[in-house]
Amino acid sequence: MQAAKEKVKDGVSAVKAKTKIAQAKASEKAEAATARSHAERELAHERGKAKVAAAKMELHQDKVLHREEAIEHRIHKHGGHGHHHHKHGVGIVAAPAPAPGAGAYYSTAARHHY
């Protein structure tokens, strides 16, 4: 169910981004049409590219937010019912350093005395 919600949210965000991109391109064309010089047309094009890039970036940020919400939901979906699937307060513990002289060429014959 959560995957479906995530997919719908992504679709809504994509539609919003496409709308913003279309608006940016339309304003770029209008600005380029009213430009009086080549430099002004180039500036209009650069502004249009910046608006398109901003819309795409916003889409990616929205998708990240949707993924984070889905992960939060999965982690806490049983919270308050006593069904915790993860341990609180348990962190990553580094492995102890190997003893001096213990290298990668540890012989199996040294472990087995026949």
Side-chain angles (χ1 to χ4, degrees), residues 15-65:
V15 169
K16 286 181 183 178
K18 286 182 181 183
T19 302
K20 287 182 180 182
I21 289 170
Q23 288 174 346
K25 288 181 179 181
S27 71
E28 175 190 343
K29 282 187 177 188
E31 195 175 338
T34 60
R36 296 177 185 208
S37 68
H38 181 70
E40 287 179 358
R41 281 190 293 278
E42 284 182 7
L43 185 60
H45 179 67
E46 291 300 319
R47 282 191 189 125
K49 282 179 18 180
K51 288 178 184 178
V52 168
K56 288 181 180 181
M57 181 185 67
E58 189 175 328
L59 171 63
H60 289 294
Q61 288 174 340
D62 287 347
K63 284 184 174 184
V64 167
L65 182 64

